[in-house]
Amino acid sequence: MVKDLFNIIVKEVKELVRDPTLILGMIIVPLILFPLMGFAMQTSMKTAEESMRNISIAVIDLDKGSVAENLTNFLITLNVRIVEVDDSNLTEAVNYVQQSNLTGLIVIPSDFSNNITEGSKAELDVYTVFRGGGIAESTSSSAISALLETFEERLVFQKIGEKFPEDPETVLDPIKTSEKSIIKGKSVDVNPGVLFGLMMSQSIGMPIGIMMLLMFAMQLAATSVASEKEEKTLETLLTLPINRFTILAGKLTGSIIVAVMGAIAYIVGFNYYMSSFMGVIPAETGVDLAAIGFAPTPISYLLLGISLFVSLISALALAVSISIFAEDVKGAQALVGPLSMLLIFPMIFMMFTDIYALPFPLMIVLFAIPFTHPMLASKVAFTGDYLTAVIGIVYVSIFTIAVLYIAARLFGTEKILTAKLKFKWLRRRRRMPAEEP
Amino acid sequence: MNLAIEAESVVKIFGSIHALDGLSFYVKPREIFGLIGPNGAGKTTALRIVSTLLKPTSGSVKVLGRDVVNQASEIRGLISYLPEEAGAYKNLSGYEYLEFMAKFTIEDKQLIRETVEAAAKISGLEERLKDKVKTYSKGMKRRLLVARALMTKPKLAVLDEPTSGLDVLHSVHVRGIIKQYVEKEGVTVLLSSHNMLEVEHLCDKVALINKGKMVAEGSPAELKKEANASNLEEVFAKVVGFG
Ligand SMILES: Nc1ncnc2c1ncn2[C@@H]1O[C@H](COP(=O)(O)OP(=O)(O)OP(=O)(O)O)[C@@H](O)[C@H]1O
Ligand SMILES: [Mg+2]
């Protein structure tokens, strides 16, 4: 029995690892695509920075007063290129700004300086050229308003300085707060915002990694069952003197081994990707996470490990039971595809919200999805909420046993040979475009 | 004498199709028993029931004295089954495939090696056994699978169209091997075929089935005599006809 299991596992791993398409997915995506994505991210952020530096703004000065002059001079000292535009025709000016690649246009109305010196509200019209949705565009569009705000602050400072010449700064900002955090009943000299950022940067990767691992494993298990049908090896396998459960266990184990190999490749690639644009946060803050009880303890590691393991088995068992009904690998992957919603759904909530703050029905739905639990367990390190992790493990284990039981039953009957879900609608849809010409 | 196979009024229904409709046949040990009949007659269904892959809807089948429903796993240890349409794991080499299969029935390492060597001879694939299965032609794959089915010297070999897709020389070779395993190793063979020449030369006993029912049974000579025909093809045409 153990020998047979080992024999099957070896064969499964050999078959999977030697499959060229699989190797492509395991190596190309994580080790080439992720770094490429990181590179693209860095490049676009650099261009964004550069475009911040080379801001050129057209100015229509209808005021010609002293404050208006101050404003343009202020912009020039901040390295902004100012283009004076003819004041007669706004439509032409707008067209000119678009044509000559300027960032935007500021129109200074005729009563601008007057209003400011008399203490009433002055107005400015600011036009920013909308060119597209990239990061570089969004930063340059906010650049003009940021510049104007700085100028506004200067004006305020000047006015206050006139009335309180001794210490205008204190008048402007009379209270100095120093923010500290309380963690697990102890006060720590760190801003909670910084801690939150740290926690995010550490825990955002986990749900993504877990989702990828499970998805990958599910695809593998489905492929390994369906390819027995597609390659017509299943009939022979089922007449061998091996327990059906051993076949199933061999397939699950083989898929786990390959999935873990894939997961490691993914984590390496993903780490590189993350570090290429946000890896610097923990180093700069200089906070020792372990010292303030904010790093994973051995228990939380153990709980996360167990939780991951039972979820992995449940995902595989689910994929196998479903792919029993498929006739070939394509069919199996089409059947397993919708299951990935069960992974993406909790991942998104896990990444962007606090699950306990959600409306009750939604919370129940999320807790019912087994794959929510390993993601929850990945946060236990920060919350110290071991009980939730343990309950999750128990729940997922029960779920897994139920699914495994169903999978074994299906594997034991002749259904595995005679159940044939043909994807007629799928094939027809795929063929349609080819038939048109 | 104990029978190798006792199939007693077997019925197999798929949805509304009666694939087998009260079929009975008996196979003696060391016999080569052939099932012949037109497409869709139920040959493959019968072989799959004998190999414990399908359960009969009604009727009973005993293989080597064991019931196919209640003692399926015992039967699996004694037989080997060559499916009509079968493949091998395409990313394994021929050798790896044979070794993988041998390990399930044989414990001893030396014996496994000998078995694989025997299979290499049966298949006639020689050096190509080192290549991956996905590089094989259809006939080469078939030879690998025939070798797999016979190499472990099972008590009963169930072969569904063993020589389909093989060229003349290799068909002759495989038939010789089947005969040899029956005579020397005491294997019993239940096979199906569309090649009447093959059946006539190879089988001790033939069952002609049509629409899930037995329509004629006997040795090739008996069948020819009964139908007053000069060869099995004529017998087939006379008994089954068209329509
Ligand atoms: N899994 C299945 N589901 C539904 N019907 C089936 C199934 N397997 C076989 N049948 C039907 O049972 C009947 C007998 O099929 P079987 O494969 O046993 O014929 P056969 O004698 O082997 O034919 P051939 O010479 O073409 O191989 C056919 O009508 C076939 O359509
Ligand atoms: Mg057939």
Side-chain angles (χ1 to χ4, degrees), chain A residues 414 417-420, chain B residues 12-20 36-48 54 84 160-161 192-194 209 212:
Chain A
E414 62 181 52
L417 275 183
T418 52
K420 283 178 185 169
Chain B
K12 180 67 189 179
I13 302 172
F14 294 109
S16 60
I17 300 169
H18 284 61
L20 293 180
I36 59 174
N39 294 133
K43 304 180 292 294
T44 297
T45 306
L47 298 189
R48 283 174 148 193
L54 299 178
E84 172 177 28
D160 200 345
E161 301 185 24
S192 82
S193 180
H194 285 298
I209 61 174

Side-chain angles (χ1 to χ4, degrees), chain B residues 79-166:
Chain B
I79 66 163
S80 80
Y81 171 58
L82 172 69
E84 172 177 28
E85 257 188 276
Y89 300 104
K90 57 181 182 179
N91 288 315
L92 299 186
S93 72
Y95 266 122
E96 285 175 321
Y97 176 73
L98 293 171
E99 205 184 335
F100 169 69
M101 288 295 180
K103 278 182 181 167
F104 290 116
T105 33
I106 306 167
E107 298 277 315
D108 183 62
K109 274 213 171 112
Q110 180 60 27
L111 216 55
I112 290 175
R113 214 169 301 137
E114 282 169 19
T115 305
V116 171
E117 281 315 312
K121 279 219 189 74
I122 301 174
S123 71
L125 284 168
E126 298 168 3
E127 282 300 296
R128 291 301 304 272
L129 278 176
K130 288 179 186 152
D131 296 339
K132 288 208 184 129
V133 169
K134 64 177 164 194
T135 67
Y136 290 8
S137 75
K138 190 175 87 181
M140 287 162 72
K141 226 179 279 170
R142 194 68 184 163
R143 277 146 61 196
L144 180 73
L145 292 166
V146 171
R148 191 298 290 176
L150 292 173
M151 68 177 181
T152 50
K153 299 164 193 165
K155 283 256 160 12
L156 170 71
V158 180
L159 311 173
D160 200 345
E161 301 185 24
T163 57
S164 82
L166 295 193

Side-chain angles (χ1 to χ4, degrees), chain A residues 15 18 228 232 244 414, chain B residues 12 55 87 89 91 96:
Chain A
E15 273 268 295
R18 288 181 191 172
E228 296 269 3
K232 305 254 186 292
R244 297 276 165 96
E414 62 181 52
Chain B
K12 180 67 189 179
K55 290 192 178 95
Y89 300 104
N91 288 315
E96 285 175 321

Side-chain angles (χ1 to χ4, degrees), chain A residues 11 50 54 71 93 109 131 149-150 184 240 242 244 268 270 286 299 319 323 340 349 372 388 412 417 423 426:
Chain A
K11 176 228 129 202
E50 258 155 42
N54 316 320
L71 174 59
R131 287 203 171 87
E149 253 165 54
T150 328
K184 295 177 185 165
L240 293 175
I242 335 164
R244 297 276 165 96
V268 169
F270 190 75
I299 294 177
S323 56
S340 59
F349 280 102
T372 305
T388 304
L417 275 183
F423 291 88
L426 237 174

